[in-house]
Amino acid sequence: MTATGAVWRNWGRTEAVKPARVERPSSTAAVQRAVIAAAKSGMRIKAVGAGHSFSGIAVAGGVQLDLHALRGILSVDTSRLQVTFAGGTFLHEIPHLLKPFGLAMQNLGDIDRQTISGAISTGTHGTGREFGGISTQVVGAVLVIGDGTVLTVSESENAELLPAVALGLGALGILVEVTLQCVPAFVLHATEAAEPLDEVLAALDARVAAVDHFEFYWFPHTKTALTKTNVRLPAHAPRKPLSGLRRFIDDDLVANQLFRVTCLAGRTVPAVIPHINRAAERLIGTREFTDLSARVFSTKRTVRFVEMEYAVPAADVPSVVRAIDELIESHGWRISFPIEVRFAAADEVWLSTASGRETGYIAVHRYYRDDPAEYFRAVEEIMMAHGGRPHWGKMNTRDAESLREVYPHFDEFVAVRDRLDPERRFTNGYLEKVIGR
Ligand SMILES: Cc1cc2nc3c(=O)[nH]c(=O)nc-3n(C[C@H](O)[C@H](O)[C@H](O)COP(=O)(O)OP(=O)(O)OC[C@H]3O[C@@H](n4cnc5c(N)ncnc54)[C@H](O)[C@@H]3O)c2cc1C
């Protein structure tokens, strides 16, 4: 199906484009035809997922491919717990799809609105010292590459390409199938608590090592961290989910609606932000619940924001957080959004932000109507001093030259791209900047 493009906007409203053409292929052959047709007319072509990247990575000014018709499970290897999904499958569809097989995804980020291909293409991750981002769950993929042919990558076919294809930035081809290593379904016991930030930072290494999934949020202008600790339990462990009302009050009313009011008030009178943040800190209480993994990992985000997130060596996290605190206070900025801190295991995916090192993630946010430039740029300086690697799907000002220095496998990735997309059919302005022309 083909249509002329309406204006496409990403979730964070940082990017907009009117594609020359939108195509909605419903088979791999149709994706191949779209790539070949784009090549014949000298156009670029790009698949978009859910548009949840804040960076310009998904901007498709030529042919935009919408893979809504390519969703669901294609095959299940029950002995190896490996499941192949069509490339357009949304993360929020996966728990239901995996349920009949008693399986789950090993780890997830904090929302589930993205597509599997979009999530792996930018290095979407959750938290947990022993766990990598979603790309580390990828054991195979099928792509339509620059010349329109189909390339299968798996442990037995073209295996040498897996560390590139598992996190390909959308630069290597159109993902029509993604195979994930799943795990037996499990539940998570979650504990959320407000704790003194200094104490959390002082014992951070031990806290992260002690549990499966540890993260915290810190509201600038306060001395309190909201810690989130998730412990993995077998599927048959008794569940004590949050009641619908509690979920609504805490996650919808407090986390989203009240927060929306804070952001709007903070825009008019920035001086109120520290007071509101301190009030928010008092509203956040301790809560414990046990539920299916995907229900605990994912939350709702209805207040629109923009975000920059950097990966730094895990051991550097306390000093980076303290430096951001000093930066905000010394400039007298009023920041309503919390800073989010997460962790991941070192992995072997070439362009993974955790490639080759135990990683801490530090994310800064601003309300989408506020100008983030000055704050983000100053925080980025701090991150760069710690060898930081920006999340590919979040805002950053880096270029290929500077990123090459922090990714040991950068040139290997570029060589794979030269092979799979020599004519740069899948590139766009953002990719030209971060990986070169
Ligand atoms: C509210 C919110 C919460 C978030 N939480 C997290 C989080 O917890 N952890 C985290 O790491 N990130 C998080 N992100 C970032 C988000 O996960 C990533 O930006 C992710 O890439 C978005 O997926 P998407 O499906 O929207 O992809 P898009 O943004 O639409 O596309 C991303 C890239 O994938 C490519 N792509 C999409 N489909 C295909 C395909 N079939 N074949 C080839 N390339 C393809 C696109 O071309 C583009 O290059 C969050 C973002 C938002 C807005």
Side-chain angles (χ1 to χ4, degrees), residues 47 49-53 57 67 110 114-115 118 122 124-125 175 342 391:
H52 273 52
S53 295
I57 195 162
L67 299 191
D110 58 18
Q114 310 93 318
T115 59
T122 60
T124 296
H125 63 88
L175 290 159
R342 294 182 279 184
H391 188 302

Side-chain angles (χ1 to χ4, degrees), residues 183-302:
V183 296
F186 60 102
V187 301
L188 287 169
H189 176 71
T191 310
E192 298 177 1
E195 300 183 57
L197 175 68
D198 283 342
E199 284 176 23
V200 172
L201 291 179
L204 194 56
D205 198 42
R207 294 290 298 269
V208 177
V211 292
D212 296 313
H213 306 277
F214 179 80
E215 67 184 292
F216 71 89
Y217 291 85
W218 161 61
F219 280 88
H221 319 296
T222 76
K223 294 285 170 214
T224 305
L226 168 64
T227 59
K228 290 190 168 197
T229 304
N230 293 334
V231 175
R232 297 164 85 95
L233 298 171
H236 55 76
R239 281 190 248 154
K240 280 195 197 142
L242 286 174
S243 70
L245 183 66
R246 182 79 202 262
R247 208 174 242 273
F248 171 71
I249 291 174
D250 290 356
D251 296 348
D252 200 38
L253 272 182
V254 176
N256 286 309
Q257 309 299 357
L258 179 70
F259 199 42
R260 189 188 318 277
V261 174
T262 310
C263 293
L264 288 170
R267 268 176 68 74
T268 338
V269 194
V272 302
I273 288 175
H275 302 285
I276 302 182
N277 280 7
R278 285 193 281 271
E281 142 191 84
R282 284 192 294 274
L283 271 176
I284 297 163
T286 300
R287 61 179 193 175
E288 281 191 53
F289 52 100
T290 310
D291 207 343
L292 291 171
S293 57
R295 286 178 59 83
V296 176
F297 283 135
S298 334
T299 50
K300 261 208 229 162
R301 293 280 189 275
T302 63

Side-chain angles (χ1 to χ4, degrees), residues 305-306 334-335 337 364-368 370-372 375-376:
F305 56 82
V306 294
R334 299 289 177 244
I335 307 295
F337 266 83
V364 291
H365 312 74
R366 289 221 81 168
Y367 187 49
Y368 79 114
D370 293 340
D371 178 5
Y375 174 45
F376 283 10

Side-chain angles (χ1 to χ4, degrees), residues 8 11 46-54 57-58 67 87-88 109-111 113-115 117-119 121-126 169-170 173-176 301 305 307 309 340 342 391 393-394:
W8 171 92
W11 185 90
K46 180 160 280 300
V48 283
H52 273 52
S53 295
F54 300 92
I57 195 162
L67 299 191
D110 58 18
I111 60 156
R113 300 292 102 186
Q114 310 93 318
T115 59
S117 297
S121 296
T122 60
T124 296
H125 63 88
L169 308 180
I174 309 298
L175 290 159
V176 288
R301 293 280 189 275
F305 56 82
E307 179 173 348
E309 181 175 53
E340 185 180 12
R342 294 182 279 184
H391 188 302
K394 300 186 184 177

